[in-house]
Amino acid sequence: MRVLPVNLNTILIELDDLAQTLALMASLQSDPIGAIEEIVPAARTLMLRLNPAIVDRSKILQEIANRRLDRVVERAGRRIEIPVSYNGEDLEEVARIVGITPEEVVRRHTGTDYVVAFTGFAPGFAYLSGGDPSLNVPRRGTPRPSLPAGSVALAGGFSAVYPQASPGGWQIIGSTDAPMWDLDRDQPALLQPGDHVRFTVAASQSSGATAAPVQPSLPQAGPLQIRNSGLLSIFQDAGRPGQAKQGVSVSGAMDKASLAAANRLVGNSENEACVETAYGRLELACISDCLVAVTGAQCPVTVTDNQGNAHAVSGNSAIQLTAGSSLKLGEPIAGVFSYLAVRGGFDVPHVLGSASTDFMAKIGRMLGAGEYLPVKKAGNATPSLTAVPAGLPKAREMSVIDVVLGPRADWFSQESLDLFASQIWTVTVQSNRVGLRLSGATPLTRSEAMEGKELPSEGTVRGAIQIPAAGQPILFMADHPLTGGYPVIACVAEYHLDFAGQLPINAQIRFRPIRAFETVEIGKTS
């Protein structure tokens, strides 16, 4: 086995093939190692998040190395048919790559069963192995910013269906209306590891599957009402860890430290849901007296009392609102995301253990003007008086972000590694909670040995810096996919994740590697 660094608390175990990966995964599930907090399986790797309190990793690695890899994993499952309209925009390109007609691509895709090898990337996204070996095609050079729900795709010997609209770099050959992810089902993901899947030609279908998001049930009255929701206002807490087996990422606030600070200021537990709003302009009417706090992005905060008198108030402190008053956030001069907490906490339904909005998982939605915000009864905790604001990045100013090189730094030439750390990267407008798309004057290139090679999909983390074939980085954020197939050159050090989450459009970045890239070979001792 080869151990690759991901970040300060996460490693990637690289194996020879899918069979070994499934065998090690089965071993770690049946006989767990306590120091491993979460496992994300992929085609030839297991990504392991370790307890950060662990000091001696060598003992953990040796215990992993001594696990058997020749175990045959029984994968009995259901047989599921998925009807497909073969109208994908990449169908002709796939046919050209393989050297056959589009009609033959369809015949081969529907001619044999696939097996669900593992899940990841997004909730309900299943990696289907098997099928006709000729349909092993490369990913696109640059992933599309958004693919429709129900897109049926090929890449690197796998087939898959995109459960909802999301970014993606696979080759799209068709679409299906079969819902891959439905939170109303006892088992939200249609496809589970071990299931057998047969694609069929649909008689008549629409352009893709849709699934309604799970929407918070908001009351018709409450202490706060939204007058202006700004660009994007949603409920967020610290996220939903431990759901990787369903393809669900942690998600949560883009700046978790600011979320925790807002809650402390009003006497809540740090993980209570807050309103996360992007680029300011949130405006609220106060219906009845309440204590609130605003943290995060550096923006002007104005309170207008019930007599119409407006005055500026300090962010990062508790704010007492009285009935008939209003609160307004201006546009930030630093950072992006602001966090509004209310004493008692917002009364938002929990889905899979969290109140966070996750558009990839179809949980929650954007908040809109006119809505009342539900508030729970306050506990007995004492509010903090102030919070210390952190330094935040600004547009057109340069910030330095610490990174851990890997897990695929060895896919790039030394020239590219040097360029990655020395060149200034700019955050582009094609950025969101899934990831920040960066632009640099000189694209990064792979080493000659890796030029043109396909990387099997593997686990990714928040802060992973993925390099598509075009050479311009994508920095994964809170709603990142669990797995990806473009090499990750480095990952942001955990202590800079909140800062990275506040990077605005046109911010400039320089990455600073904090240690040399090193891999470890491990083998059995007995």
Side-chain angles (χ1 to χ4, degrees), residues 95-115:
R96 186 193 64 77
I97 293 171
V98 179
I100 56 179
T101 64
E103 292 75 19
E104 182 62 15
V105 171
V106 174
R107 191 191 70 78
R108 295 184 187 185
H109 193 244
T110 58
T112 57
D113 279 4
Y114 284 87
V115 178

Side-chain angles (χ1 to χ4, degrees), residues 168-465:
W170 289 32
Q171 307 280 2
I172 306 304
I173 62 172
S175 61
T176 181
D177 285 342
M180 298 292 110
W181 176 259
D182 185 353
L183 283 163
D184 289 333
R185 291 192 294 238
D186 291 337
Q187 190 168 265
L190 174 65
L191 304 180
Q192 299 291 319
D195 286 348
H196 291 251
V197 176
R198 175 63 70 98
F199 292 103
T200 62
V201 177
S204 176
Q205 287 195 314
S206 64
S207 59
T210 58
V214 175
Q215 298 184 359
S217 178
L218 299 182
Q220 297 302 307
L224 292 170
Q225 185 183 29
I226 298 175
R227 286 182 177 172
N228 186 344
S229 59
L231 180 65
L232 174 66
S233 293
I234 53 181
F235 286 119
Q236 289 294 344
D237 57 22
R240 44 180 65 84
Q243 299 293 333
K245 61 185 177 182
Q246 298 203 68
V248 180
S249 71
V250 174
S251 189
M254 288 283 278
D255 180 353
K256 294 184 180 181
S258 291
L259 176 132
N263 277 312
R264 287 195 302 270
L265 286 168
V266 295
N268 295 340
S269 66
E270 292 187 347
N271 192 34
E272 282 291 341
C274 289
V275 174
E276 177 186 88
T277 188
Y279 290 101
R281 293 186 293 172
L282 176 68
E283 187 173 357
L284 300 171
C286 181
I287 309 302
S288 57
D289 294 0
C290 58
L291 184 70
V292 302
V294 178
T295 61
Q298 184 182 343
C299 59
V301 181
T302 303
V303 171
T304 302
D305 64 24
N306 53 17
Q307 302 299 313
N309 302 309
H311 60 279
V313 298
S314 299
N316 294 289
S317 61
I319 303 167
Q320 183 66 57
L321 297 179
T322 57
S325 64
S326 63
L327 179 144
K328 183 177 181 180
L329 275 61
E331 295 186 13
I333 61 174
V336 175
F337 295 97
S338 300
Y339 294 88
L340 174 82
V342 63
R343 181 157 175 76
F346 294 106
D347 192 6
V348 186
H350 281 56
V351 179
L352 300 177
S354 169
S356 277
T357 300
D358 183 346
F359 294 124
M360 293 281 281
K362 295 294 182 183
I363 301 172
R365 57 177 171 79
M366 295 172 59
L367 298 173
E371 295 188 50
Y372 291 89
L373 301 181
V375 176
K376 297 183 289 187
K377 183 178 180 180
N380 296 320
T382 302
S384 301
L385 295 178
T386 59
V388 179
L392 295 173
K394 296 181 179 181
R396 288 172 288 279
E397 289 191 6
M398 204 269 288
S399 300
V400 177
I401 294 179
D402 289 351
V403 296
V404 176
L405 290 176
R408 297 297 175 182
D410 54 357
W411 275 56
F412 298 89
S413 64
Q414 186 59 50
E415 181 183 5
S416 281
L417 292 175
D418 294 341
L419 185 64
F420 169 74
S422 62
Q423 181 167 252
I424 293 176
W425 303 96
T426 302
V427 179
T428 72
V429 294
Q430 291 182 307
S431 298
N432 51 35
R433 282 181 48 91
V434 175
L436 306 181
R437 292 185 178 236
L438 309 179
S439 176
T442 305
L444 301 180
T445 57
R446 298 180 183 180
S447 65
E448 289 185 11
M450 296 300 176
E451 194 63 44
K453 285 196 172 183
E454 282 288 303
L455 178 69
S457 292
E458 57 191 27
T460 63
V461 295
R462 181 183 177 186
I465 304 166

